PDB file of all heavy atoms in Angstrom:
ATOM      1  N   ILE I  97     -15.960  26.175 -24.133  1.00 98.00           N
ATOM      2  CA  ILE I  97     -14.586  26.426 -23.696  1.00 98.00           C
ATOM      3  C   ILE I  97     -13.661  25.317 -24.183  1.00 98.00           C
ATOM      4  O   ILE I  97     -12.575  25.565 -24.716  1.00 98.00           O
ATOM      5  CB  ILE I  97     -14.510  26.528 -22.162  1.00 98.00           C
ATOM      6  CG1 ILE I  97     -15.337  27.710 -21.642  1.00 98.00           C
ATOM      7  CG2 ILE I  97     -13.046  26.668 -21.712  1.00 98.00           C
ATOM      8  CD1 ILE I  97     -14.771  29.066 -21.961  1.00 98.00           C
ATOM      9  N   LEU I 126     -13.048  27.282 -27.656  1.00 98.00           N
ATOM     10  CA  LEU I 126     -12.124  28.365 -27.309  1.00 98.00           C
ATOM     11  C   LEU I 126     -10.703  27.877 -27.061  1.00 98.00           C
ATOM     12  O   LEU I 126      -9.744  28.408 -27.627  1.00 98.00           O
ATOM     13  CB  LEU I 126     -12.638  29.105 -26.069  1.00 98.00           C
ATOM     14  CG  LEU I 126     -11.796  30.309 -25.635  1.00 98.00           C
ATOM     15  CD1 LEU I 126     -11.835  31.415 -26.675  1.00 98.00           C
ATOM     16  CD2 LEU I 126     -12.293  30.836 -24.280  1.00 98.00           C
ATOM     17  N   LEU I 214     -13.985  31.602 -15.725  1.00 98.00           N
ATOM     18  CA  LEU I 214     -13.383  31.169 -16.982  1.00 98.00           C
ATOM     19  C   LEU I 214     -14.470  30.431 -17.760  1.00 98.00           C
ATOM     20  O   LEU I 214     -14.364  29.250 -18.084  1.00 98.00           O
ATOM     21  CB  LEU I 214     -12.177  30.270 -16.729  1.00 98.00           C
ATOM     22  CG  LEU I 214     -11.309  29.905 -17.943  1.00 98.00           C
ATOM     23  CD1 LEU I 214     -10.631  31.145 -18.512  1.00 98.00           C
ATOM     24  CD2 LEU I 214     -10.281  28.856 -17.582  1.00 98.00           C
ATOM     25  N   MET I 215     -15.541  31.150 -18.004  1.00 98.00           N
ATOM     26  CA  MET I 215     -16.734  30.611 -18.645  1.00 98.00           C
ATOM     27  C   MET I 215     -17.267  31.667 -19.605  1.00 98.00           C
ATOM     28  O   MET I 215     -17.052  32.856 -19.391  1.00 98.00           O
ATOM     29  CB  MET I 215     -17.802  30.273 -17.606  1.00 98.00           C
ATOM     30  CG  MET I 215     -17.327  29.288 -16.540  1.00 98.00           C
ATOM     31  SD  MET I 215     -18.571  29.027 -15.258  1.00 98.00           S
ATOM     32  CE  MET I 215     -17.663  27.890 -14.178  1.00 98.00           C
ATOM     33  N   ILE I 216     -17.974  31.244 -20.627  1.00 98.00           N
ATOM     34  CA  ILE I 216     -18.492  32.186 -21.608  1.00 98.00           C
ATOM     35  C   ILE I 216     -19.492  33.132 -20.975  1.00 98.00           C
ATOM     36  O   ILE I 216     -19.496  34.335 -21.257  1.00 98.00           O
ATOM     37  CB  ILE I 216     -19.135  31.439 -22.792  1.00 98.00           C
ATOM     38  CG1 ILE I 216     -18.072  30.614 -23.531  1.00 98.00           C
ATOM     39  CG2 ILE I 216     -19.785  32.431 -23.762  1.00 98.00           C
ATOM     40  CD1 ILE I 216     -16.885  31.422 -24.032  1.00 98.00           C
ATOM     41  N   LYS I 250     -18.190  38.768 -14.925  1.00 98.00           N
ATOM     42  CA  LYS I 250     -18.018  39.075 -16.338  1.00 98.00           C
ATOM     43  C   LYS I 250     -17.649  37.806 -17.089  1.00 98.00           C
ATOM     44  O   LYS I 250     -16.587  37.219 -16.853  1.00 98.00           O
ATOM     45  CB  LYS I 250     -16.933  40.140 -16.523  1.00 98.00           C
ATOM     46  CG  LYS I 250     -16.757  40.619 -17.961  1.00 98.00           C
ATOM     47  CD  LYS I 250     -15.763  41.785 -18.029  1.00 98.00           C
ATOM     48  CE  LYS I 250     -15.646  42.315 -19.453  1.00 98.00           C
ATOM     49  NZ  LYS I 250     -14.732  43.474 -19.547  1.00 98.00           N
ATOM     50  N   GLY I 251     -18.541  37.357 -17.968  1.00 98.00           N
ATOM     51  CA  GLY I 251     -18.255  36.168 -18.750  1.00 98.00           C
ATOM     52  C   GLY I 251     -17.235  36.441 -19.839  1.00 98.00           C
ATOM     53  O   GLY I 251     -17.089  37.579 -20.303  1.00 98.00           O
ATOM     54  N   LEU I 252     -16.528  35.402 -20.265  1.00 98.00           N
ATOM     55  CA  LEU I 252     -15.509  35.586 -21.301  1.00 98.00           C
ATOM     56  C   LEU I 252     -16.108  36.118 -22.605  1.00 98.00           C
ATOM     57  O   LEU I 252     -15.443  36.813 -23.371  1.00 98.00           O
ATOM     58  CB  LEU I 252     -14.795  34.265 -21.575  1.00 98.00           C
ATOM     59  CG  LEU I 252     -13.916  33.705 -20.451  1.00 98.00           C
ATOM     60  CD1 LEU I 252     -13.249  32.417 -20.911  1.00 98.00           C
ATOM     61  CD2 LEU I 252     -12.870  34.721 -20.010  1.00 98.00           C
ATOM     62  N   GLY I 253     -17.383  35.804 -22.844  1.00 98.00           N
ATOM     63  CA  GLY I 253     -18.025  36.282 -24.057  1.00 98.00           C
ATOM     64  C   GLY I 253     -18.164  37.786 -24.120  1.00 98.00           C
ATOM     65  O   GLY I 253     -18.441  38.343 -25.196  1.00 98.00           O
ATOM     66  N   GLU I 254     -17.962  38.464 -22.989  1.00 98.00           N
ATOM     67  CA  GLU I 254     -18.040  39.926 -22.969  1.00 98.00           C
ATOM     68  C   GLU I 254     -16.786  40.581 -23.539  1.00 98.00           C
ATOM     69  O   GLU I 254     -16.803  41.769 -23.873  1.00 98.00           O
ATOM     70  CB  GLU I 254     -18.274  40.429 -21.543  1.00 98.00           C
ATOM     71  CG  GLU I 254     -19.613  40.028 -20.951  1.00 98.00           C
ATOM     72  CD  GLU I 254     -19.898  40.722 -19.638  1.00 98.00           C
ATOM     73  OE1 GLU I 254     -19.737  41.958 -19.568  1.00 98.00           O
ATOM     74  OE2 GLU I 254     -20.275  40.027 -18.679  1.00 98.00           O
ATOM     75  N   PHE I 255     -15.689  39.836 -23.610  1.00 98.00           N
ATOM     76  CA  PHE I 255     -14.434  40.401 -24.099  1.00 98.00           C
ATOM     77  C   PHE I 255     -14.394  40.336 -25.624  1.00 98.00           C
ATOM     78  O   PHE I 255     -14.435  39.238 -26.204  1.00 98.00           O
ATOM     79  CB  PHE I 255     -13.237  39.629 -23.532  1.00 98.00           C
ATOM     80  CG  PHE I 255     -13.085  39.732 -22.042  1.00 98.00           C
ATOM     81  CD1 PHE I 255     -13.614  38.756 -21.209  1.00 98.00           C
ATOM     82  CD2 PHE I 255     -12.409  40.801 -21.463  1.00 98.00           C
ATOM     83  CE1 PHE I 255     -13.471  38.838 -19.835  1.00 98.00           C
ATOM     84  CE2 PHE I 255     -12.259  40.900 -20.090  1.00 98.00           C
ATOM     85  CZ  PHE I 255     -12.797  39.922 -19.278  1.00 98.00           C
ATOM     86  N   ILE I 258     -11.949  37.863 -27.068  1.00 98.00           N
ATOM     87  CA  ILE I 258     -12.344  36.454 -26.985  1.00 98.00           C
ATOM     88  C   ILE I 258     -13.285  36.119 -28.138  1.00 98.00           C
ATOM     89  O   ILE I 258     -13.170  35.061 -28.773  1.00 98.00           O
ATOM     90  CB  ILE I 258     -13.033  36.161 -25.637  1.00 98.00           C
ATOM     91  CG1 ILE I 258     -12.041  36.343 -24.472  1.00 98.00           C
ATOM     92  CG2 ILE I 258     -13.618  34.748 -25.640  1.00 98.00           C
ATOM     93  CD1 ILE I 258     -10.926  35.334 -24.412  1.00 98.00           C
TER      94      ILE I 258
END
Side-chain angles (χ1 to χ4, degrees):
I97 297 290
L126 183 66
L214 189 65
M215 303 175 182
I216 296 303
K250 185 174 183 178
L252 293 182
E254 295 189 49
F255 295 95
I258 295 292

